[in-house]
């Protein structure tokens, strides 16, 4: 059993009240770590440490902060195998993904923002005709609370921590309770490369009445960057209202993946498979509503189903596993209940739908890749985020119909369109109300671009200048020159 403590003011500490909880591996539902369970008193200590560190960190030259952040990135790379293994054991993603995608991206988050913060400038407005010169002064927003989810624990935590620190803020992180281990290894890394104490703090625990809530209500936390469910975002917004914090939310999705009749079918099948079954379907950006144009519907569905049936589901620590277990037994039950609901609502189960319980898989939370056809967008299973390896396929006739269906959702996080026609690509990209639209690809990111969601999927944007805007305050300095 690993011991996971808070990291406060550069030291690993237990909770003030000594409470702990267990982190359970989805591979076999056995406990793999005893984790400190933080509450208001622990958050208080962490916020104090972050505030104390703020003055010197925020006034340090960005190039000096870069030195520390690049050292963190180097160390993430040096400890990559260990980080990948714990990520997989903690939340079930295939080790091949953890190694080749999540961990490298975590290191890159630090590299990217460490450099970026050295490049950004500010605007100025000159009015020589009446002797007024105004310029924008950027100042780090202060102490940032970073609340992250379990589906990409290290990658999404670092997506918040890296820009916050690069732009001069200090951070109190609250990782997801289901997958706290890599955040704790990250804290070790911060200690190893001698980042000043208090710059980065981690308090483990839960959301309501626990560390998460304590962070959102704390009067000395200046901003909250949160990734998680839309329902949680609503609660955080209400709880943060009395202290008027800056908020940035990345939340749920039910994205439409639109495959047009003129698409490159090989690419569309491969991309659509990735779009729903990557990370066990536990992906906010998943193309969980698959809209296929009528002329290719039958062929596409048969190829998609054939490929879905060939996905290697198994122990995620095995290098050739393509899909691991769902994060918890509770989450597996939730996804199974949606599979039942889909059938009650009239969708046709064409493959999967069953828990895998042969041999050692019986101990974990394994589910077959599941595909439904004859779905209708008004069904709850097409409107609610299932967050598992379950695809709902429906046909469309005209592209405008696909755009309308895509928009009939309370979410607007991402979308995909597969077509060889540039006009169609533009029409869909413009027509669908969503934060990211991929044309003939999926999951491709440029960290300078805005990332976030419309409607219930997000509040604000992060990435490049958008992160700069969020993690800094802009001050107008107005100088009057005698004429
Ligand atoms: P969640 O909302 O249950 O939890 C996310 C984090 O919020 C956890 O650390 C949790 O402890 C904390 N939390 C919960 N209640 C809280 C409260 N009242 N106050 C403060 N903190 C609280 O989400 P999850 O189940 O961990 O993650 C899955 C969800 O995240 C899905 O909806 C998914 O779409 C979304 N997600 C979105 C993105 C994105 O970029 N838009 C990325 C990944 C995941």
């Amino acid at each position: 059993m690993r011991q996971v403590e808070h990291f406060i003011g550069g030291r690993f500490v237990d909770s003030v009240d000594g409470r702990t909880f267990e982190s359970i591996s989805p591979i076999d539902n056995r406990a793999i770590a005893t984790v400190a369970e933080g509450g208001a008193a622990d958050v208080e200590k962490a916020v104090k440490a972050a505030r104390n560190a703020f003055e010197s960190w925020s006034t340090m030259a960005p190039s000096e902060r870069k030195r520390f952040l690049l050292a963190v990135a180097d160390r993430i790379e040096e400890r990559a195998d260990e980080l990948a293994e714990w990520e997989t054991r903690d939340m079930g993603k295939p080790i091949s993904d953890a190694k080749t995608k999540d961990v490298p991206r975590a290191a890159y988050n630090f590299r990217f923002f460490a450099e970026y913060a050295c490049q950004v400038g500010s605007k100025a407005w000159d009015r020589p005709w009446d002797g007024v010169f105004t310029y924008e002064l950027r100042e780090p927003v202060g102490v940032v609370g970073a609340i992250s989810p379990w589906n990409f624990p290290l990658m999404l935590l670092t997506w918040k921590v890296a820009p916050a620190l690069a732009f001069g803020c200090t951070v109190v992180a609250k990782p997801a309770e289901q997958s706290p281990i890599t955040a704790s290894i990250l804290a070790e890394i911060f200690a190893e490369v001698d980042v000043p104490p208090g710059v980065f703090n981690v308090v483990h625990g839960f959301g309501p009445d626990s560390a998460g809530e304590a962070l959102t209500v704390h009067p000395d936390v200046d901003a909250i960057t949160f990734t998680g469910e839309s329902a949680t975002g609503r609660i955080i917004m209400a709880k943060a209202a009395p202290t008027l914090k800056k908020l940035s939310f990345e939340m749920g999705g039910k994205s439409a993946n639109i495959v047009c009749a003129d698409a490159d079918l090989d690419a569309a099948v491969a991309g659509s498979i990735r779009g729903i079954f990557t990370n066990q379907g536990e992906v906010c950006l998943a193309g969980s509503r698959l809209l296929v144009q009528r002329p290719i519907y039958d062929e596409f569905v048969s190829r998609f189903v054939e490929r879905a049936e060939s996905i290697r589901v198994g122990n995620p620590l095995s290098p050739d596993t393509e899909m691991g277990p769902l994060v918890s037994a509770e989450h597996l039950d939730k996804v199974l209940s949606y599979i039942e609901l889909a059938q009650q609502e009239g969708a046709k189960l064409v493959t999967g739908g069953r828990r895998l319980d042969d041999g050692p898989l019986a101990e974990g939370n394994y589910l077959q890749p599941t595909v439904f056809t004859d779905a209708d967008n008004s069904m709850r299973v097409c409107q609610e985020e299932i967050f598992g390896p379950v695809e709902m396929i429906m046909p469309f006739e005209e592209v405008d119909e696909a755009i309308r269906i895509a928009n009939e959702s309370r979410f607007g996080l991402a979308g995909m369109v597969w077509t060889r026609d540039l006009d169609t690509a533009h029409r869909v990209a413009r027509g669908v109300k969503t934060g990211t639209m991929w044309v003939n690809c999926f999951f491709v990111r440029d960290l300078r671009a805005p990332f976030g969601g419309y409607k219930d999927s997000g509040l604000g944007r992060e990435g490049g200048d958008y992160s700069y805007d969020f993690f800094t305050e802009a001050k107008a300095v107005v100088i009057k020159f005698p004429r």
Side-chain angles (χ1 to χ4, degrees):
M1 286 279 274
R2 201 183 167 102
Q3 302 298 315
V4 173
E5 296 165 307
H6 308 305
F7 182 64
I8 298 177
R11 291 178 43 238
F12 285 93
V13 292
D14 290 328
S15 291
V16 170
D17 62 10
R19 276 160 66 151
T20 59
F21 65 99
E22 287 183 337
S23 187
I24 310 290
S25 173
I27 297 174
D28 54 9
N29 286 307
R30 294 211 176 92
I32 51 172
T34 303
V35 187
E37 182 181 336
D42 307 284
V43 166
E44 183 62 36
K45 281 171 58 187
V47 172
K48 272 211 176 85
R51 179 60 62 191
N52 288 340
F54 180 69
E55 179 60 30
S56 61
W57 183 254
S58 61
T59 52
M60 194 181 269
S63 54
E64 186 70 2
R65 289 197 293 262
K66 174 174 139 181
R67 214 173 44 80
F68 285 113
L69 300 181
L70 293 184
V72 169
D74 287 345
R75 201 69 193 115
I76 288 175
E77 283 162 358
E78 283 159 20
R79 296 183 68 176
D81 286 350
E82 182 192 354
L83 279 162
E85 183 177 330
W86 281 107
E87 197 79 311
T88 292
R89 294 183 67 194
D90 217 8
M91 62 69 63
K93 73 173 62 219
I95 186 94
S96 56
D97 283 352
K99 269 190 184 157
T100 60
K101 298 190 178 107
D102 296 55
V103 175
R105 170 63 194 281
Y108 183 61
N109 284 339
F110 282 103
R111 290 194 194 290
F112 174 84
F113 282 109
E115 298 285 352
Y116 202 88
C118 294
Q119 309 295 332
V120 286
S122 61
K123 294 179 190 159
W125 299 266
D126 187 19
R127 279 185 3 204
W129 53 90
D130 63 355
V132 177
F133 181 78
T134 304
Y135 70 93
E136 176 199 44
L137 198 65
R138 290 297 190 112
E139 292 169 345
V141 74
V143 174
V144 170
I147 303 178
S148 50
W150 50 260
N151 59 337
F152 293 93
L154 184 67
M155 196 266 263
L156 287 174
L157 178 66
T158 54
W159 170 244
K160 299 175 177 310
V161 172
L165 297 184
F167 295 127
C169 300
T170 54
V171 170
V172 179
K174 208 302 279 173
E177 55 273 27
Q178 297 88 342
S179 54
I181 296 177
T182 50
S184 151
I185 299 176
L186 183 67
E188 288 173 13
I189 287 174
F190 270 77
E192 284 165 5
V193 302
D194 294 326
V195 174
V199 166
F200 174 62
N201 307 274
V202 183
V203 179
H204 297 282
F206 297 84
D209 300 321
S210 182
E213 182 173 328
L215 205 49
T216 59
V217 300
H218 199 291
D220 206 26
V221 172
D222 300 287
I224 296 282
T225 165
F226 159 77
T227 300
E229 286 186 24
S230 307
T232 310
R234 283 196 180 85
I235 295 170
I236 292 179
M237 190 176 226
K239 292 277 181 185
T243 50
L244 289 174
K245 294 174 181 14
K246 267 182 117 173
L247 299 174
S248 175
F249 290 170
E250 294 178 354
M251 298 180 285
K254 190 80 185 179
S255 298
N257 174 13
I258 300 171
V259 183
C260 299
D262 68 340
D264 171 341
L265 271 201
D266 291 341
V269 170
S272 302
I273 287 283
R274 276 193 69 215
I276 185 65
F277 298 120
T278 293
N279 214 45
Q280 301 76 241
E282 296 164 330
V283 178
C284 54
L285 303 159
S288 47
R289 292 181 294 154
L290 179 49
L291 278 52
V292 184
Q293 202 159 15
R294 190 62 88 176
I296 55 158
Y297 186 82
D298 290 342
E299 187 189 349
F300 182 90
V301 170
S302 100
R303 288 174 62 173
F304 182 85
V305 168
E306 192 188 332
R307 177 68 189 97
E309 287 172 345
S310 74
I311 290 175
R312 290 185 296 274
V313 185
N315 188 320
L317 289 167
S318 159
D320 54 1
T321 289
E322 292 177 303
M323 213 176 91
L326 301 194
V327 70
S328 64
E330 190 192 357
H331 188 57
L332 173 64
D333 284 346
K334 182 184 144 192
V335 176
L336 283 168
S337 77
Y338 271 113
I339 290 172
E340 206 176 303
L341 176 65
Q343 292 169 92
Q344 285 163 14
E345 288 188 301
K348 185 173 155 204
L349 179 66
V350 286
T351 189
R354 226 176 41 81
R355 185 181 171 177
L356 285 165
D357 50 10
D358 313 328
L361 298 192
E363 296 184 325
N365 313 315
Y366 296 89
L367 181 64
Q368 292 175 318
T370 299
V371 180
F372 284 95
T373 56
D374 296 0
D376 184 281
N377 198 48
S378 62
M379 293 173 177
R380 273 184 57 200
V381 286
C382 291
Q383 290 296 318
E384 298 175 17
E385 188 181 39
I386 298 175
F387 219 55
V390 180
E391 185 66 288
M392 309 301 308
I393 308 186
M394 51 198 120
F396 68 92
E397 304 287 346
E398 301 297 330
V399 169
D400 285 344
E401 183 193 353
I403 295 173
R404 179 181 54 74
I405 294 171
N407 284 333
E408 281 173 3
S409 171
R410 65 189 178 89
F411 297 110
L413 187 62
M416 278 167 266
V417 57
W418 303 87
T419 177
R420 289 188 170 103
D421 184 81
L422 193 56
D423 293 346
T424 303
H426 272 305
R427 193 145 111 241
V428 174
R430 189 177 290 280
V432 180
K433 301 282 172 252
T434 189
T436 298
M437 174 59 75
W438 280 292
V439 179
N440 296 331
C441 60
F442 174 59
F443 240 24
V444 179
R445 290 283 311 281
D446 183 323
L447 300 192
R448 295 168 297 183
F451 183 80
Y454 282 51
K455 303 190 256 182
D456 284 10
S457 291
L459 187 73
R461 296 289 182 274
E462 294 189 12
D465 285 350
Y466 304 88
S467 296
Y468 184 44
D469 286 345
F470 181 70
F471 291 113
T472 59
E473 292 283 9
K475 180 187 285 177
V477 180
V478 186
I479 305 172
K480 180 85 178 93
F481 293 103
R483 299 190 65 222

